[in-house]
């Protein structure tokens, strides 16, 4: 299982902050997860924010081609606004 | 005494600053970020902050390491508040010290700009008639590029 985390506007639009996803193939990428999320939460509110978000794997920013493995923690991070 | 800290409590500027006071450092700056009532004419009644806490702590530490490469020897402590924050209260304190003031001013500015670029913390403005998660205000968002580019 891969743990997926959503935050801020992304969590609000999905109505969920955390979910688990099965590793469907050994070459599964962050992009694959992103596409699955779009199918699961097809609202334009969700997809708009998701497309502006960056991904992280195990708390490091990664690009969409990054391969994931079992027990990874993948987060989608909307544009940040701390300070 | 962790130098990078996330809290739901009110922030004490003195407590953060004390973490970086050093006998060989003649300059220290504490940047204080407070919540603003009016943004572009819209009246905010409350702000609420959320974070991806473990990654926020990692990226705060990363900023401290970057500062040490750019301005060797600077000491940095950063505390960011989460949860509901009333108008005029402190949301972030960045304390920096260095042997001489020039490095200190430059490093302090770098820290807040970098924080706003890469640290996974979000601010929700709550108005009398609605609310909105604020996004990054610095153009197209890419947390993997250096600040200058």
């Amino acid at each position: 299982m891969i743990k997926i985390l959503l935050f801020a506007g992304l969590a609000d639009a999905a109505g969920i902050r955390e979910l688990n996803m099965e590793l469907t193939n050994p070459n599964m990428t962050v992009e694959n997860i992103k596409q699955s999320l779009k199918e699961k939460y097809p609202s334009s509110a969700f997809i708009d924010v998701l497309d502006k978000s960056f991904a992280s794997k195990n708390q490091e920013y990664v690009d969409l081609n990054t391969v994931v493995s079992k027990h990874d923690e993948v987060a989608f991070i909307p544009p940040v606004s701390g300070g | 005494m962790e130098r990078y800290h996330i809290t739901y409590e009110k922030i004490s500027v003195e407590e953060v600053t004390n973490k970086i006071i050093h006998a060989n450092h003649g300059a220290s700056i504490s940047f204080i970020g407070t919540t603003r009532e009016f943004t572009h004419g819209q009246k905010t009644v409350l702000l609420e902050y959320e974070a991806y806490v473990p990654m926020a702590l990692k990226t705060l530490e990363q900023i401290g390491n970057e500062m040490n490469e750019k301005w060797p020897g600077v000491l940095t402590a950063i505390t960011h508040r989460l949860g509901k924050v009333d108008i005029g209260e402190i949301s972030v304190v960045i304390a920096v010290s260095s042997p001489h003031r020039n490095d200190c001013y430059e490093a302090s500015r770098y820290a807040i700009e970098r924080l706003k670029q890469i640290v996974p913390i979000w601010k929700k403005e709550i108005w009398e008639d609605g609310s909105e998660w604020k996004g990054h205000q610095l153009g197209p968002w890419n947390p993997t590029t250096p600040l200058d580019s």
Side-chain angles (χ1 to χ4, degrees):
Chain A
M1 287 293 222
I2 298 158
K3 186 172 166 190
I4 319 271
L5 302 176
L6 304 173
F7 294 95
L10 215 43
D12 285 359
I16 194 170
R17 315 186 65 82
E18 186 177 331
L19 61 153
N20 292 311
M21 212 173 262
E22 296 283 355
L23 192 70
T24 49
N25 76 69
N27 302 314
M28 190 164 155
T29 63
V30 173
E31 174 68 34
N32 296 146
I33 296 174
K34 186 175 169 179
Q35 291 311 321
S36 305
L37 287 174
K38 285 184 177 180
E39 286 162 27
K40 211 169 158 67
Y41 306 105
S43 76
S44 63
F46 181 79
I47 290 172
D48 284 354
V49 187
L50 186 63
D51 281 336
K52 280 189 250 166
S53 299
F54 251 81
S56 68
K57 185 177 94 167
N58 303 330
Q59 295 125 37
E60 305 253 359
Y61 288 111
V62 291
D63 68 45
L64 292 172
N65 301 321
T66 304
V67 173
V68 294
S69 48
K70 226 173 16 173
H71 309 308
D72 276 346
E73 179 176 289
V74 173
F76 290 89
I77 300 184
V80 300
S81 52
Chain B
M1 190 190 70
E2 288 298 324
R3 289 204 282 126
Y4 305 99
H5 189 55
I6 302 272
T7 181
Y8 283 86
E9 310 293 319
K10 286 193 181 186
I11 302 174
S12 156
V13 179
E14 197 171 2
E15 204 175 294
V16 182
T17 306
N18 283 341
K19 296 178 184 177
I20 52 87
I21 296 292
H22 188 283
N24 295 335
H25 286 188
S28 58
I29 294 176
S30 294
F31 170 86
I32 303 168
T34 54
T35 51
R36 185 171 51 215
E37 184 173 23
F38 282 94
T39 299
H40 306 304
Q42 180 120 33
K43 187 179 175 176
T44 302
V45 293
L46 186 73
L47 285 106
E48 193 166 357
Y49 287 88
E50 170 183 325
Y52 181 12
V53 174
M55 184 165 167
L57 289 169
K58 270 194 191 178
T59 46
L60 288 174
E61 193 169 355
Q62 177 192 334
I63 293 170
N65 293 339
E66 290 171 1
M67 289 163 71
N68 235 293
E69 279 174 30
K70 288 173 183 287
W71 300 279
V74 296
L75 288 175
T76 307
I78 305 177
T79 297
H80 203 296
R81 187 158 165 203
L82 298 184
K84 293 184 167 66
V85 181
D86 284 330
I87 301 302
E89 287 191 351
I90 297 170
S91 53
V92 64
V93 173
I94 300 175
V96 181
S97 75
S98 66
H100 302 284
R101 67 184 177 281
N102 196 41
D103 281 0
C104 205
Y105 274 109
E106 286 181 13
S108 171
R109 183 65 193 262
Y110 179 85
I112 182 64
E113 298 301 334
R114 197 78 170 124
L115 182 151
K116 284 175 171 288
Q117 184 198 10
I118 70 168
V119 180
I121 296 178
W122 301 270
K123 168 167 60 187
K124 187 196 237 175
E125 284 181 4
I126 300 166
W127 315 307
E128 270 153 4
D129 57 352
S131 67
E132 184 183 50
W133 285 106
K134 303 305 286 182
H136 173 79
Q137 315 274 313
L138 310 171
W141 187 54
N142 186 345
T144 64
T145 57
L147 196 55
D148 302 327
S149 62

